Amino acid sequence: METTGMSLKRGCVVVEDSDSVAPAEETKKPKIAECCLTKGQDGVEDDCVPSSENEPGLPEAGVAGKGDKNSSAEVEEEEEDGLSEEEEKEEEEPESFADMMKHGLTELDVGITKFVSSHQGFSGILKERYSDFVVHEIGKDGRISHLDDLSVPVDEEDPSEDVFTILTAEEKQQLEELQLFKNKETSVAIEVIEDTKEKRTAIHQAIKALFPGLETKTEDREGKKYVVAYHAAGKKALANPRKHSWPKSRGSYCHFVLYKKNKDTMDAINVLSKYLRVKPNIFSYMGTKDKRAITVQEIAVLKISAQRLAHLNKCLMNFKLGNFSYQKTPLKLGELQGNHFTVVLRNITGTDEQVQQAMNSLKEIGFINYYGMQRFGTTSVPTYQVGRAILQNSWTEVMDLILKPRSGAEKGYLVKCREEWAKTKDPDAALKKLPVKRGVEGQLLRGLSRYGMKNIVSAFGIIPRNNRLMYIHSYQSYVWNNMVSKRIEDYGLKPVPGDLVLKGATATYIEEDDVHNYSIHDVVMPLPGFDVIYPKHKEVVAYDDPKIPLLNTDVDKLEGKPPPVFASEGKYRALKMDFSLPPSTYATMAIREVLKRDTSIKKQTQLNTTWLR
């Protein structure tokens, strides 16, 4: 049975982490700010060579205080080193990660303090495995996105599969350097061994398909045939796929379903753009998904064929692309109804009666729709502190907060970079400690190296706009959470004089003699979940092996894997929840209300580590 919980509305938007959703323009909700935010490489086979060009995101104007002369500092695209082994190693060892997370944030640190239900809570482990938290996007038509078809639409105008294998790794490297203007050569000549017309045609097609912006011609040199690649339209050709190579009868956008594990959406698009050798801004999507989960969502890309996209399935781990179709339009941010969640809480301690009470309470009362922990970072320097310093125009503090050493979950090379910065305050010396410079720290250090320590605003402007806004919105979320907790502490879950309600698109105060005309559903503040499709049933399952998956993903189904077999009476018990949430709603906050426990990574890691000992 579907029920609707209590409504505590909130304004502006939330970044759609794995359990939150896309920004949406909502005139009936108050806005904290006028701006909205999107937050926004795994194993590779020999015949899949990624571009080494840095793709940090869309270059946009800077975010700085009003009246600041440098407030419109440009975001510049920077050349990037190739991927290092350290970057590709995404998984931290459990001991080191647990140790680092001792210094992370708790819910109390970010204003998440209240519950609305009276049931007794119980312990459970959230996201012990990525497959314990599965997110499927719900499109604007109400359809839940699933990856269930890997076939490629048949198109006679697509080149043969030979385009992906006919070039050697060395030839691909030379062509990439030519394409990205990384050397002084004006062309690359590829000798046609065992010359035939079919072989030459395949090489021509491979270069044009894999390296947008390059043209080809055939030349005779000393009795040998060469296919010569050269630039046709300058640097603009890389950002704008070649118009004449796209069939006129085909929609300009290839839509596909992206299945990903342990990658957020922006990282995933950066990886795809590297392997396709295109700019990330030719991709579009309806909402971003967080890293620590398995997520399924729709993506659209301009004038990249389904054939090329499908080939990436042979190249990349933890990604799968499918359900291809050609459409006339891209996707728009916010054009989704929400997300469907399948969540497993492992090793629960509650009795069946306690679990049933918690689920009934979730259906009947709802939950406080706080901004979740992923808004605030995983180290001892919260992102909201940086946001506050930006709003105060304290640019030296912004620089120090981003670059200073800190405790928490970070890779070793980043720790060394911070140590070098603390010791020398030399951006060039600190940069040398970073094998991967596309992160916020590397971008800021490049900016400081270019503009100098006295022009921090311009240096900060090199960071992509979405990343800069992340800090601002983190501080807004921090303030919001604290305001809601204070509101509930002082006045409970009933409307009181002075609360805001909406009349049309205008927020007005509730007067003393008008209180009886309103319920908590009318109060314009971020209060318990609104427009939520809650679980129709629980499922408590028993199991013996803590390492086995407890549900089947889309890829498991594609590969024909049987569903998990549960024990009748196992050593452990888990709670499986299936539910859908609308935009601007965090699933972890619903789970928090069920468990009555802190859902921060710090606390969950402690539970996980204790359980596995």
Side-chain angles (χ1 to χ4, degrees):
M1 177 179 180
E2 296 179 4
T3 60
T4 301
M6 301 183 71
S7 171
L8 285 183
K9 305 182 182 74
R10 71 179 177 209
C12 195
V13 296
V14 262
V15 175
E16 183 190 1
D17 303 293
S18 66
D19 63 311
S20 59
V21 284
E25 297 178 3
E26 301 183 43
T27 56
K28 66 178 182 178
K29 298 185 181 181
K31 293 192 176 182
I32 295 295
E34 293 299 321
C35 54
C36 295
L37 166 69
T38 56
K39 281 201 279 201
Q41 200 134 350
D42 295 311
V44 55
E45 295 182 352
D46 291 339
D47 62 340
C48 299
V49 182
S51 164
S52 60
E53 184 185 52
N54 181 33
E55 304 289 4
L58 305 186
E60 298 187 57
V63 176
K66 291 182 179 180
D68 194 309
K69 294 181 180 179
N70 296 312
S71 63
S72 61
E74 294 180 355
V75 181
E76 302 187 21
E77 294 175 31
E78 298 287 338
E79 192 172 289
E80 180 59 85
D81 296 339
L83 293 176
S84 70
E85 291 182 5
E86 288 184 85
E87 184 193 17
E88 291 186 348
K89 187 180 179 183
E90 289 288 345
E91 298 291 341
E92 299 91 350
E93 295 182 4
E95 295 80 11
S96 61
F97 183 78
D99 195 47
M100 287 188 292
M101 285 315 301
K102 292 177 182 177
H103 307 282
L105 300 173
T106 66
E107 290 181 350
L108 179 63
D109 296 327
V110 296
I112 301 174
T113 62
K114 299 298 179 182
F115 297 97
V116 294
S117 54
S118 59
H119 71 269
Q120 182 179 351
F122 51 90
S123 179
I125 298 176
L126 174 64
K127 296 187 180 182
E128 198 273 317
R129 298 173 62 90
Y130 298 126
S131 59
D132 289 348
F133 202 96
V134 180
V135 187
H136 289 86
E137 189 173 69
I138 305 174
K140 61 182 179 181
D141 58 357
R143 180 178 57 84
I144 298 177
S145 291
H146 283 281
L147 181 74
D148 52 20
D149 184 2
L150 299 182
S151 65
V152 176
V154 177
D155 194 324
E156 294 180 357
E157 300 194 52
D158 279 332
S160 70
E161 284 292 317
D162 291 342
V163 302
F164 301 109
T165 57
I166 198 166
L167 298 173
T168 67
E170 183 181 358
E171 288 167 345
K172 289 179 180 178
Q173 183 65 32
Q174 292 173 342
L175 289 164
E176 180 193 337
E177 290 176 355
L178 174 67
Q179 180 200 34
L180 301 179
F181 298 91
K182 287 192 172 183
N183 57 30
K184 297 180 180 179
E185 302 297 328
T186 58
S187 64
V188 169
I190 297 173
E191 183 181 355
V192 184
I193 308 298
E194 300 176 1
D195 177 41
T196 63
K197 183 177 180 180
E198 291 74 17
K199 185 81 173 285
R200 293 196 303 272
T201 299
I203 295 175
H204 283 288
Q205 289 179 335
I207 294 172
K208 292 176 180 179
L210 300 179
F211 301 92
L214 296 184
E215 290 290 353
T216 59
K217 59 185 177 181
T218 302
E219 289 185 358
D220 283 306
R221 298 182 181 180
E222 299 179 352
K224 297 180 180 179
K225 293 282 189 181
Y226 289 84
V227 174
V228 179
Y230 60 96
H231 274 285
K235 293 189 177 182
K236 290 184 178 180
L238 184 60
N240 301 301
R242 297 161 60 253
K243 294 181 180 179
H244 61 273
S245 66
W246 194 257
K248 293 180 179 180
S249 60
R250 178 193 289 173
S252 294
Y253 296 88
C254 184
H255 288 228
F256 62 96
V257 169
L258 172 65
Y259 169 104
K260 64 181 181 63
K261 179 170 70 174
N262 193 29
K263 285 281 186 185
D264 68 34
T265 300
M266 288 307 300
D267 281 344
I269 285 177
N270 283 336
V271 170
L272 297 180
S273 66
K274 278 180 175 290
Y275 278 86
L276 294 169
R277 298 177 177 85
V278 296
K279 298 289 186 182
N281 59 7
I282 69 171
F283 290 86
S284 58
Y285 47 88
M286 294 183 287
T288 62
K289 304 290 183 286
D290 196 27
K291 176 180 177 178
R292 296 187 66 80
I294 290 175
T295 69
V296 181
Q297 70 182 114
E298 189 173 352
I299 304 287
V301 60
L302 175 64
K303 293 185 178 178
I304 299 293
S305 69
Q307 183 187 37
R308 285 187 66 190
L309 293 168
H311 184 69
L312 296 180
N313 288 332
K314 302 176 183 178
C315 306
L316 300 173
M317 296 170 58
N318 298 332
F319 290 96
K320 264 312 186 216
L321 287 67
N323 296 80
F324 302 103
S325 66
Y326 293 107
Q327 308 290 339
K328 294 181 179 179
T329 58
L331 296 170
K332 293 183 179 179
L333 200 61
E335 281 193 342
L336 74 169
Q337 286 193 14
N339 291 286
H340 183 80
F341 299 87
T342 304
V343 179
V344 171
L345 304 175
R346 289 180 182 253
N347 199 28
I348 59 171
T349 59
T351 64
D352 287 347
E353 182 180 2
Q354 287 175 320
V355 172
Q356 186 63 56
Q357 288 176 347
M359 300 308 291
N360 288 340
S361 176
L362 183 64
K363 293 179 183 179
E364 295 167 7
I365 301 176
F367 62 99
I368 305 172
N369 191 19
Y370 286 116
Y371 280 110
M373 294 301 300
Q374 54 270 58
R375 290 282 268 188
F376 306 104
T378 56
T379 72
S380 59
V381 180
T383 51
Y384 72 78
Q385 290 184 0
V386 181
R388 179 168 52 200
I390 292 170
L391 293 173
Q392 292 172 340
N393 275 325
S394 301
W395 293 103
T396 299
E397 183 182 1
V398 170
M399 175 182 69
D400 289 339
L401 285 170
I402 292 175
L403 296 177
K404 74 177 184 179
R406 77 277 314 275
S407 302
E410 291 200 310
K411 294 184 181 296
Y413 58 77
L414 192 51
V415 172
K416 293 176 182 177
C417 170
R418 296 191 189 283
E419 291 172 349
E420 182 66 28
W421 171 256
K423 181 173 65 175
T424 66
K425 288 295 189 290
D426 181 346
D428 292 318
L431 267 174
K432 290 179 180 177
K433 301 292 183 180
L434 286 180
V436 180
K437 300 176 177 62
R438 69 169 179 243
V440 168
E441 294 81 6
Q443 290 158 348
L444 178 56
L445 288 169
R446 277 201 303 253
L448 292 170
S449 176
R450 174 173 298 181
Y451 296 109
M453 301 286 283
K454 294 183 179 180
N455 198 350
I456 299 173
V457 174
S458 293
F460 183 71
I462 282 184
I463 299 171
R465 180 175 183 270
N466 286 345
N467 296 66
R468 301 197 304 271
L469 286 177
M470 172 189 69
Y471 295 118
I472 304 290
H473 288 187
S474 178
Y475 183 60
Q476 291 172 339
S477 304
Y478 171 80
V479 173
W480 199 340
N481 284 354
N482 280 280
M483 287 175 60
V484 171
S485 293
K486 181 64 173 173
R487 162 63 177 76
I488 294 175
E489 179 180 342
D490 290 348
Y491 303 109
L493 294 172
K494 62 182 186 299
V496 297
D499 276 339
L500 287 172
V501 293
L502 287 175
K503 292 185 177 180
T506 304
T508 61
Y509 292 110
I510 297 179
E511 301 296 339
E512 182 77 44
D513 58 357
D514 210 23
V515 170
H516 65 281
N517 291 325
Y518 298 100
S519 73
I520 195 65
H521 300 272
D522 302 306
V523 175
V524 183
M525 279 189 71
L527 298 178
F530 138 79
D531 233 11
V532 176
I533 303 172
Y534 287 106
K536 294 182 179 180
H537 61 277
K538 66 178 180 65
E539 183 180 6
V540 176
V541 297
Y543 61 103
D544 292 311
D545 185 352
K547 296 182 179 180
I548 64 168
L550 298 182
L551 55 88
N552 265 22
T553 66
D554 285 1
V555 168
D556 292 333
K557 294 172 185 176
L558 278 171
E559 294 175 350
K561 293 183 180 178
V565 177
F566 302 112
S568 55
E569 290 190 13
K571 185 178 178 181
Y572 307 109
R573 294 161 65 244
L575 172 62
K576 179 184 174 185
M577 301 169 63
D578 276 283
F579 55 98
S580 297
L581 297 178
S584 304
T585 310
Y586 282 74
T588 47
M589 295 297 99
I591 294 164
R592 171 184 181 270
E593 190 70 40
V594 170
L595 296 177
K596 292 286 190 75
R597 292 290 190 275
D598 190 322
T599 59
S600 65
I601 296 179
K602 177 177 181 177
K603 294 295 185 181
Q604 287 294 312
T605 302
Q606 291 171 358
L607 273 178
N608 203 339
T609 306
T610 302
W611 178 39
L612 292 176
R613 280 175 181 163

